[in-house]
Amino acid sequence: MGSMATPNQDQHHQKHHLQPLAPAPAPARRLPDFLQSVNLKYVKLGYHYLITHLITFLLFPLIVIILLEAARTDPDELRQLWLHLQYNLVSVLVFSAILVFASTVYIMTRPRAVFLIDFACYRPEPHLKAPFLAFMEHSRLCGEFNESALEFQRKILERSGLGEETYFPEAMHHLPPNPSMAAARAEAEQVMFGALDNLFRSTGVNPKDIGVLVVNCSLFNPTPSLSAMIVNKYKFRGNIRSFNLGGMGCSAGVISIDLARDLLQVHGSSYAVVVSTENITQNWYFGNRKSMLIPNCLFRVGGAAVLLSNRRSDRRRAKYRLVHVVRTHKGADDNAFRCVYQEQDEVGKVGVSLSKDLMAIAGGALKTNITTLGPLVLPISEQLLFFATLVAKKLFNAKVKPYIPDFKLAFDHFCIHAGGRAVIDELEKNLQLSPVHVEASRMTLHRFGNTSSSSIWYELAYIEAKGRIRRGHRIWQIAFGSGFKCNSAVWEALCNVKASSHSPWADCINSYPVQVVDGHIASQ
């Protein structure tokens, strides 16, 4: 499994108000503070607009001068210029040939555009819901946890940000639980085939037309592989290029997109399907080590299937175009490598242990990732501010705080991996986002829990269901995973995206957003 956050316990401090012994004297009347009255937000927006359109502002007078000079040119001079070109036919032909050759080389060597035609998220059956009371009662009756472990799980659930309608696989509803290989295969089939059925139904693509298949599931990797299960189910053609990624955590969904993109650069006129999921059945922890109990409380059933294409004809019906993928791997550092670690506890029970340094390591990985991503997506105005602050810090004052770029100027929507409430809180704070920017992440965590690598697709489905995506909007998907990894994908909307009939939010979107305070739904 990938990155998850240990919920932080909030500290409350009493505030004592002292009553003044006598009325305070009225302040002396003075001139208003004009500096404070200026709304710096609009000053910054004006600066951003000026820098962004600086070239236009500089070229406009030049173009006006050229047009005025052309209007005053004598027709005889234009005729003489034409005659001069006729007598220099060889130069004209050479110039034209160079222009055609350069254009051909550019067209042939530029990367193929990769389009996202549609995607589908799996929606489990209602009988698989796991309310908190049922979760705790089931944990108590299975007899594997002591009282301290049960109380710890209860507190984690209360502060997790999860709601009462998340899902567990069928095997975990049994008493005693049935984490068998057959049950794990059944869960994988339900999730993957459920998402793929919706995808093929909505796009009308024949499975035999798929040229590339990439499947990622971190902890469940049977033989034959999950990708082979899909090939067998949908009877894909024999020369399909299939890949099965295991052990790569919650950020593997972006890794799969990156791999599919690279393959589509090589193989022309192809479709690629990416399937991202995680398996709960065989990865439930039945011990009492607290650092290994947190995944039990956060992870839930989920999966997504994505259809990509490099065919130019598909641009008209595609939803998005893939713009950038940036991947960061901190595995060379021992602490980062072991911060999300599958192992056995003192009595031999297998689980995933989370380090107390997880949030700090995730923050470092995020910093490295956005340092690479920033120059690719940020407007020049933000890059100039960042560079100026960096120079000032180096030359004048080491105490100058580094400038945090405003990524809201680069992206219209944010899909932050719903690993846990603390992950979302930390990114909202560090990237200076508003509540609406993290709404999709919070509501996905509340409604579906941490579905690992597929969570960023449930979030995008939420934004679509709300009808917020317009042509030209940019979406930033960012995910964290064991290893430790931080990966980003940037998409551009090619149309005004409408709510999908097969969306996992189709029957409940009007109930969202709900207000979640300290992991609980606030009273309305």
Side-chain angles (χ1 to χ4, degrees):
M1 297 185 185
S3 73
M4 298 158 288
T6 306
N8 298 321
Q9 184 175 2
D10 297 325
Q11 297 180 349
H12 303 279
H13 302 275
Q14 281 188 322
K15 296 182 180 179
H16 301 281
H17 301 276
L18 299 178
Q19 298 297 330
L21 298 177
R29 187 175 183 181
R30 58 183 179 180
L31 292 175
D33 189 341
F34 292 106
L35 181 61
Q36 294 300 324
S37 65
V38 175
N39 192 327
L40 294 180
K41 169 185 175 183
Y42 295 104
V43 173
K44 185 175 181 180
L45 288 176
Y47 159 77
H48 165 67
Y49 185 83
L50 174 64
I51 297 299
T52 302
H53 298 87
L54 184 61
I55 296 179
T56 302
F57 293 147
L58 293 177
L59 289 179
F60 182 75
L62 180 62
I63 293 174
V64 171
I65 292 173
I66 292 174
L67 292 176
L68 290 175
E69 289 296 325
R72 289 187 294 185
T73 302
D74 186 50
D76 290 334
E77 294 181 7
L78 295 176
R79 192 179 302 108
Q80 291 296 324
L81 177 62
W82 173 248
L83 291 174
H84 177 73
L85 291 175
Q86 285 182 320
Y87 287 117
N88 288 273
L89 182 61
V90 175
S91 300
V92 173
L93 291 176
V94 170
F95 176 77
S96 301
I98 293 174
L99 183 63
V100 170
F101 177 76
S103 301
T104 302
V105 171
Y106 171 75
I107 294 173
M108 295 297 292
T109 58
R110 69 175 181 173
R112 289 189 174 96
V114 174
F115 306 110
L116 190 159
I117 297 177
D118 202 358
F119 67 95
C121 299
Y122 173 65
R123 173 74 176 269
E125 296 296 326
H127 73 276
L128 296 179
K129 289 181 180 179
F132 288 178
L133 287 178
F135 175 94
M136 291 306 303
E137 183 67 10
H138 189 278
S139 295
R140 186 181 64 83
L141 292 175
C142 77
E144 300 288 343
F145 307 106
N146 59 33
E147 288 300 321
S148 177
L150 289 171
E151 178 62 16
F152 179 77
Q153 291 181 77
R154 185 188 65 78
K155 290 180 178 179
I156 293 295
L157 281 175
E158 290 178 350
R159 303 167 188 172
S160 64
L162 273 68
E164 297 281 352
E165 296 188 322
T166 58
Y167 303 93
F168 275 141
E170 187 76 47
M172 304 312 297
H173 285 271
H174 296 165
L175 275 175
N178 178 33
S180 64
M181 174 63 77
R185 284 184 180 275
E187 179 194 347
E189 291 175 353
Q190 289 173 2
V191 174
M192 296 189 305
F193 299 165
L196 285 166
D197 286 346
N198 283 333
L199 182 68
F200 290 135
R201 189 182 305 115
S202 66
T203 60
V205 172
N206 188 328
K208 291 188 178 297
D209 292 333
I210 305 300
V212 174
L213 173 65
V214 183
V215 181
N216 68 267
C217 181
S218 188
L219 292 177
F220 181 59
N221 292 285
T223 300
S225 66
L226 299 178
S227 60
M229 292 166 60
I230 294 174
V231 172
N232 177 259
K233 164 70 175 180
Y234 294 97
K235 309 304 178 186
F236 286 169
R237 65 197 196 202
N239 64 344
I240 189 169
R241 296 163 181 87
S242 64
F243 300 84
N244 198 96
L245 307 182
M248 304 196 77
C250 296
S251 65
V254 178
I255 297 173
S256 296
I257 292 292
D258 190 30
L259 175 58
R261 179 191 64 171
D262 289 346
L263 291 166
L264 289 176
Q265 295 303 313
V266 178
H267 305 286
S269 191
S270 297
Y271 287 118
V273 166
V274 171
V275 179
S276 297
T277 186
E278 190 52 86
N279 196 280
I280 308 296
T281 297
Q282 285 197 320
N283 296 290
W284 193 262
Y285 174 61
F286 291 101
N288 293 297
R289 188 193 291 183
K290 292 182 179 178
S291 65
M292 300 171 76
L293 283 169
I294 299 173
N296 287 10
C297 302
L298 295 181
F299 276 92
R300 297 295 186 268
V301 172
V306 184
L307 179 63
L308 304 174
S309 172
N310 59 11
R311 304 183 182 190
R312 294 182 181 178
S313 59
D314 282 326
R315 182 186 179 94
R316 294 190 300 272
R317 65 168 181 153
K319 287 184 173 181
Y320 309 99
R321 178 178 67 90
L322 183 59
V323 182
H324 300 292
V325 176
V326 174
R327 293 167 54 181
T328 300
H329 204 309
K330 308 294 286 188
D333 179 78
D334 290 342
N335 290 332
F337 174 73
R338 295 188 64 91
C339 73
V340 180
Y341 201 78
Q342 187 180 24
E343 59 184 344
Q344 290 179 311
D345 65 10
E346 298 78 7
V347 295
K349 300 292 181 66
V350 177
V352 176
S353 177
L354 305 182
S355 167
K356 58 181 173 46
D357 299 324
L358 176 57
M359 288 307 301
I361 292 168
L366 172 65
K367 181 180 179 180
T368 304
N369 188 266
I370 63 177
T371 300
T372 305
L373 179 67
L376 300 175
V377 298
L378 286 170
I380 188 65
S381 58
E382 286 298 291
Q383 296 189 48
L384 286 175
L385 283 175
F386 178 80
F387 179 74
T389 307
L390 184 64
V391 171
K393 182 178 177 65
K394 294 290 185 183
L395 298 181
F396 303 108
N397 188 353
K399 295 183 179 179
V400 174
K401 293 183 179 179
Y403 177 71
I404 300 176
D406 187 357
F407 280 90
K408 298 187 293 295
L409 296 173
F411 302 112
D412 301 281
H413 308 284
F414 297 79
C415 297
I416 301 167
H417 167 52
R421 184 168 62 90
V423 171
I424 303 171
D425 290 346
E426 195 70 16
L427 264 71
E428 180 182 11
K429 175 184 176 182
N430 290 340
L431 296 178
Q432 300 177 354
L433 304 178
S434 65
V436 70
H437 292 127
V438 295
E439 180 183 313
S441 300
R442 292 195 190 281
M443 296 307 104
T444 295
L445 181 64
H446 177 271
R447 179 62 184 84
F448 295 100
N450 181 348
T451 61
S452 190
S453 57
S454 64
S455 68
I456 54 177
W457 297 107
Y458 285 89
E459 293 161 15
L460 185 56
Y462 177 90
I463 302 172
E464 288 186 356
K466 284 293 184 180
R468 296 174 180 171
I469 298 181
R470 296 290 179 266
R471 181 187 179 94
H473 280 189
R474 285 199 168 193
I475 300 98
W476 182 14
Q477 291 181 322
I478 182 166
F480 302 90
S482 57
F484 189 84
K485 298 179 286 292
C486 176
N487 299 321
S488 296
V490 179
W491 303 88
E492 180 185 5
L494 300 176
C495 60
N496 296 337
V497 180
K498 298 180 180 178
S500 175
S501 59
H502 61 266
S503 170
W505 301 91
D507 65 342
C508 63
I509 191 62
N510 293 331
S511 302
Y512 286 88
V514 297
Q515 187 178 1
V516 181
V517 179
D518 293 339
H520 301 277
I521 300 177
S523 57
Q524 302 295 324

